[in-house]
């Protein structure tokens, strides 16, 4: 979805380095998410945020931190990268409208990260 | 969260109708059923969502029987560009505050000429 952008698209880093992956959205959604995907597997949730003041851990948050700088921006940081964090990282946004029971998530193009 | 089971892979030819069935025996009363499509090196893309009976949009149809323990995604007249991984998810947007998306390994559909 072109309304959700991620930078960088590809990144190679070394063990122990701190890196930041950035996500921006123009959809005006309050909710944002970070997932990782390993080869041949589904996506796993790292962190999610329902609004600027709300941050929640997902199922695999260890080794990661996030920052919700604004409604439109949600950054993921690896404080000290390790090789098993090599994966494809996706940012997503969603909007659960008041009174609605349905939610759709919109994903960015992904960031391919390689930790040597 | 209800667990879902789908076939690992399916093969089809251009122009055929493809039906991918997903089992979710423990689906809860408030759970919706959602299907996503993912192409290699891209993020998943929403296809269709439903609660019961049949839902149709410009891309696909979703059939949900009365007991809601399974659902079938139907892709009419597939083309080569429909080759992708298809994920079935169930979740409750109301009670948990959002529909936590639990992606399994999905169904890898290969469409051949």
């Amino acid at each position: 979805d072109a309304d959700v952008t991620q930078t960088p698209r590809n990144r190679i880093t070394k063990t122990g380095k701190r890196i930041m992956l950035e996500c921006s959205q123009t959809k005006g959604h309050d909710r944002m998410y970070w997932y990782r995907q390993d080869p041949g597997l589904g996506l796993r949730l790292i962190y999610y945020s329902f609004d600027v003041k709300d941050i929640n851990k997902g199922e695999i948050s260890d080794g990661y931190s996030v920052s919700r700088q604004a409604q439109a921006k949600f950054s993921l940081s690896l404080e000290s990268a390790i090789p098993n964090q090599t994966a494809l990282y996706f940012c997503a946004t969603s909007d659960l409208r008041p009174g609605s029971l349905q939610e759709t998530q919109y994903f960015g193009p992904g960031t391919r990260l390689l930790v040597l | 969260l209800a667990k879902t089971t789908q076939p690992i892979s399916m093969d089809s030819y251009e122009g055929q109708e493809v039906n991918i069935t997903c089992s979710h025996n423990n689906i809860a009363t408030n759970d919706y059923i959602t299907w996503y499509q993912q192409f290699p090196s891209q993020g998943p893309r929403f296809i269709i969502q439903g609660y019961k009976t049949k839902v149709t949009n410009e891309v696909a149809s979703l059939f949900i029987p009365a007991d809601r323990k399974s659902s079938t995604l139907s892709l009419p007249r597939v083309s080569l560009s429909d080759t992708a991984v298809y994920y079935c998810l169930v979740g409750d947007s109301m009670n948990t505050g959002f529909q936590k998306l639990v992606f399994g390994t999905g169904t890898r559909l290969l469409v051949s000429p």
Side-chain angles (χ1 to χ4, degrees):
Chain A
D1 191 310
D3 296 328
V4 183
T5 58
Q6 294 182 232
T7 56
R9 293 295 311 278
N10 296 279
R11 178 74 183 268
I12 300 174
T13 191
K14 295 182 179 180
T15 297
K17 294 291 187 180
R18 181 182 188 275
I19 66 166
M20 179 182 289
L21 309 183
E22 301 193 17
C23 177
S24 295
Q25 53 112 346
T26 58
K27 301 187 77 69
H29 291 168
D30 287 326
R31 301 178 173 204
M32 298 187 74
Y33 310 81
W34 275 105
Y35 294 88
R36 68 174 279 176
Q37 185 174 35
D38 296 280
L41 300 180
L43 280 75
R44 292 184 290 170
L45 183 63
I46 306 173
Y47 270 96
Y48 61 99
S49 169
F50 285 175
D51 62 43
V52 175
K53 298 180 181 179
D54 177 77
I55 300 290
N56 304 280
K57 292 183 177 180
E59 56 186 308
I60 54 164
S61 59
D62 288 346
Y64 302 94
S65 62
V66 291
S67 174
R68 185 78 185 270
Q69 302 95 320
Q71 185 200 40
K73 297 185 181 297
F74 193 34
S75 300
L76 176 71
S77 294
L78 285 68
E79 298 300 325
S80 179
I82 56 177
N84 75 3
Q85 290 178 312
T86 292
L88 188 55
Y89 289 85
F90 290 105
C91 172
T93 75
S94 71
D95 181 20
L96 181 61
R97 295 178 298 278
S100 173
L101 296 178
Q102 301 185 30
E103 175 177 301
T104 299
Q105 291 199 10
Y106 300 88
F107 286 80
T111 294
R112 189 172 297 280
L113 175 66
L114 173 61
V115 183
L116 301 176
Chain B
L1 292 169
K3 179 182 177 182
T4 61
T5 303
Q6 330 173 208
I8 294 175
S9 64
M10 295 182 68
D11 295 321
S12 184
Y13 293 97
E14 282 188 294
Q16 290 188 334
E17 178 184 74
V18 171
N19 296 306
I20 306 175
T21 297
C22 178
S23 297
H24 27 79
N25 291 319
N26 297 322
I27 190 168
T29 301
N30 292 331
D31 283 346
Y32 276 76
I33 301 158
T34 309
W35 286 79
Y36 282 79
Q37 174 192 54
Q38 186 179 25
F39 298 112
S41 298
Q42 294 185 27
R45 183 174 71 101
F46 172 86
I47 300 177
I48 198 166
Q49 184 178 70
Y51 183 79
K52 61 180 179 181
T53 62
K54 176 183 176 182
V55 179
T56 297
N57 61 23
E58 65 278 6
V59 177
S61 294
L62 178 60
F63 298 92
I64 306 169
D67 66 6
R68 304 200 326 121
K69 293 184 181 300
S70 67
S71 60
T72 299
L73 174 72
S74 181
L75 305 172
R77 295 183 297 280
V78 294
S79 64
L80 297 178
S81 63
D82 291 316
T83 293
V85 178
Y86 293 83
Y87 296 96
C88 163
L89 302 95
V90 298
D92 169 18
S93 292
M94 288 300 289
N95 288 345
T96 61
F98 77 105
Q99 186 176 39
K100 182 175 182 290
L101 299 185
V102 179
F103 287 82
T105 55
T107 297
R108 191 171 299 274
L109 172 66
L110 175 62
V111 180
S112 301

